[in-house]
Amino acid sequence: MRTRLPRTRALGALGALIALPHIAAAADCPTFTDPIVVVGSSAVAPLINAMQTVLGQQAAPTTIVYATPGSCNGVVAVTADTAPTAACAAGACFTGSVTYYDPNAVTPATKLVSCTLTAPVHVDVGVSDVSASTCLQVATGAANGVKDTTGPVEPMVFVVPKASFNAGNKAITAEEAYFVFGFGAAGQAKPWIVETDLARRNAQSGTQLTIAYNISVPAGVWKGVDKGGSGGVRDALIAANSGNSPGTAIGILGSDIYDVNRSMLSALAFQAFHQKGAFFADSTATSFDKRNVRDGHYVNWTYLHMLTRLDATGAPNPAAKRFVDWVTGNTASTPAPAAPTWDMTALTIGAKLVPTCAMKVARSTDGGSLSPFAPAADCTTMFETMVPQ
Amino acid sequence: MKKLALLVLLAAGCGGDSKATPDAPVISTPDAAVVDGPGITCFMGTPTTNDQLMNACVNEAVVTRIIKMPMLPLLNADGSLPHLP
């Protein structure tokens, strides 16, 4: 049985609560300092990693313990956690590999290291690219004991090996994607007719669920090979550059993952149903400005969803509250970390996501219609100044 | 002459011309040099709906728009999508 990680800094993260000797294998997790357990989407890893680094360098550090089993597994870990201070309910909590910031790590240089939680821990925040409704057809809200707070915008992209893009494969229409991922080889949507070269995720993936809305292929029936995570998709497509037929390879990624792998990968322009022409997420194939996401010409995007369990008073636990407040910039409720300086908008932009203050469109449901949006404090200038043009 | 008219439409509809009438549901052909056919259009004016936002005219000197007409043998005769297998 595993209950909540202790909040008091420097208490044993596992030793106090797991019936295992703390001299366990090196892969087992150490004592965490002021942990916040965050589980779910791998597409949002660059943002979480950036937060881990800044929080871990504070004089009084906080440790974000982050796992990436997929968006909907993060949602389930929280929505099923009906007894967050007791034994884990069925489907709740998390066991397995996590990353955290270790100030004493020599390698890797990022000091973001992995370990294995060998017994289930309660999850403070489920991070998901889609809502609980999309994942589970369940509602959130105070009456259901779970709060869904949205954060920055995550564009999702169809990605091909750079060799394929350079050979002329620069765009995909929603109709093409319908045949590619809905029919596989039988769809005859050339050149993407080799099912083993379709690098997809799975029905728990927010990336796949987000794109599924816009190509009318339910996430659970996609043809292709489940690569297990964003890293698996990335690696498969990079490897395809040197294969016999890079032109037949295609996959899906969060644009934040894609943006840091552009030397080997290329995103395709996407033409939605009823759209006249295909657009990149950015204004051009080589820019980073997410202009078409921000103005409505590119529709494959979603908001980061942060799922938190509410107690009887309707409040999240303190760790979850801090995380959500930091991401949403609610420094009136939770002061920003002091040093290194914490600028959530800058962190978000640096992580290749789009803060909502730079958006000109919004949507109220996953995959829903776009509508004009005017942020209360527009950060377009800051966004466009920070990203490479 | 017809080509000239098309170019005028291009300049008015997709070049960010401040003289464009707000909210006017004018449809223009954005790139006559690449596209010369019915149905390839953009929305000029202030977009308010999903389809208007997606199809709002852009300055194609700054924003890449790709016109692709893929061959999809399984499309129904009327152009609609068949049911998934």
Side-chain angles (χ1 to χ4, degrees):
Chain A
M1 182 186 84
R2 176 73 173 99
T3 57
R4 182 163 300 286
L5 288 174
R7 295 292 158 222
T8 306
R9 290 192 304 110
L11 286 182
L14 295 177
L17 295 169
I18 293 179
L20 288 174
H22 210 65
I23 55 171
D28 288 349
C29 292
T31 297
F32 291 122
T33 301
D34 188 22
I36 301 176
V37 180
V38 178
V39 172
S41 168
S42 61
V44 75
L47 177 65
I48 305 296
N49 293 162
M51 294 175 66
Q52 287 176 305
T53 300
V54 178
L55 290 168
Q57 293 175 342
Q58 300 294 311
T62 293
T63 305
I64 294 181
V65 181
Y66 175 46
T68 58
S71 286
C72 291
N73 286 319
V75 170
V76 171
V78 173
T79 56
D81 196 13
T82 52
T85 58
C88 293
C93 303
F94 179 77
T95 308
S97 180
V98 297
T99 63
Y100 65 100
Y101 182 86
D102 179 358
N104 299 314
V106 176
T107 56
T110 60
K111 299 185 183 294
L112 293 172
V113 299
S114 298
C115 66
T116 302
L117 292 171
T118 54
V121 296
H122 288 281
V123 173
D124 296 309
V125 184
V127 285
S128 175
D129 311 323
V130 290
S131 68
S133 176
T134 290
C135 285
L136 308 168
Q137 290 78 52
V138 300
T140 54
N144 299 292
V146 176
K147 184 175 183 180
D148 181 348
T149 307
T150 56
V153 166
E154 302 175 74
M156 307 297 184
V157 289
F158 288 99
V159 177
V160 297
K162 184 160 283 295
S164 174
F165 188 86
N166 290 342
N169 297 313
K170 298 181 187 302
I172 187 169
T173 68
E175 290 83 358
E176 279 183 291
Y178 179 83
F179 286 112
V180 171
F181 289 101
F183 289 72
Q188 302 177 54
K190 296 179 180 179
W192 303 297
I193 54 174
V194 180
E195 290 185 21
T196 52
D197 289 348
L198 308 180
R200 64 168 172 82
R201 298 287 305 284
N202 53 57
Q204 308 305 309
S205 159
T207 304
Q208 189 155 316
L209 285 159
T210 297
I211 293 177
Y213 276 115
N214 292 308
I215 66 171
S216 294
V217 180
V221 302
W222 280 37
K223 302 293 185 182
V225 179
D226 179 2
K227 296 298 181 181
S230 299
V233 172
R234 175 200 61 207
D235 294 346
L237 295 174
I238 288 175
N241 275 298
S242 54
N244 292 329
S245 56
T248 60
I250 188 172
I252 54 172
L253 284 174
S255 70
D256 53 342
I257 307 291
Y258 161 67
D259 276 347
V260 294
N261 290 280
R262 288 196 183 196
S263 63
M264 299 294 284
L265 302 175
S266 293
L268 298 178
F270 179 72
Q271 178 176 323
F273 293 121
H274 309 297
Q275 191 171 23
K276 313 299 183 185
F279 292 85
F280 295 104
D282 306 287
S283 56
T284 68
T286 57
S287 59
F288 290 79
D289 58 19
K290 304 296 175 288
R291 176 175 176 151
N292 292 322
V293 174
R294 293 186 289 121
D295 72 10
H297 283 92
Y298 185 88
V299 302
N300 283 324
W301 60 266
T302 184
Y303 297 104
L304 169 65
H305 293 258
M306 294 170 282
L307 281 293
T308 52
R309 169 62 59 180
L310 303 177
D311 64 18
T313 70
N317 77 52
K321 178 180 183 301
R322 281 188 297 153
F323 182 89
V324 172
D325 282 346
W326 283 330
V327 172
T328 57
N330 189 3
T331 53
S333 178
T334 298
T341 303
W342 180 274
D343 181 336
M344 195 63 213
T345 302
L347 278 179
T348 301
I349 297 170
K352 314 299 184 188
L353 301 181
V354 183
T356 54
C357 56
M359 293 291 290
K360 298 292 181 286
V361 294
R363 57 173 32 128
S364 58
T365 59
D366 295 336
S369 293
L370 303 175
S371 58
F373 172 71
D378 195 311
C379 64
T380 298
T381 301
M382 176 182 180
F383 182 87
E384 293 182 346
T385 301
M386 282 189 65
V387 299
Q389 297 300 311
Chain B
M1 190 65 185
K2 181 179 177 184
K3 190 162 188 174
L4 177 62
L6 223 53
L7 289 173
V8 170
L9 275 176
L10 167 63
C14 299
D17 188 339
S18 61
K19 288 183 283 190
T21 306
D23 301 313
V26 177
I27 301 298
S28 69
T29 302
D31 192 343
V34 176
V35 182
D36 186 14
I40 307 301
T41 56
C42 66
F43 177 81
M44 189 173 67
T46 303
T48 57
T49 68
N50 185 76
D51 281 10
Q52 290 171 355
L53 287 160
M54 286 194 308
N55 292 307
C57 296
V58 296
N59 179 352
E60 296 194 23
V62 177
V63 177
T64 300
R65 178 164 83 150
I66 297 174
I67 304 301
K68 184 176 186 183
M69 296 178 181
M71 293 292 294
L72 298 170
L74 296 192
L75 275 178
N76 294 326
D78 64 357
S80 63
L81 296 170
H83 291 298
L84 291 169

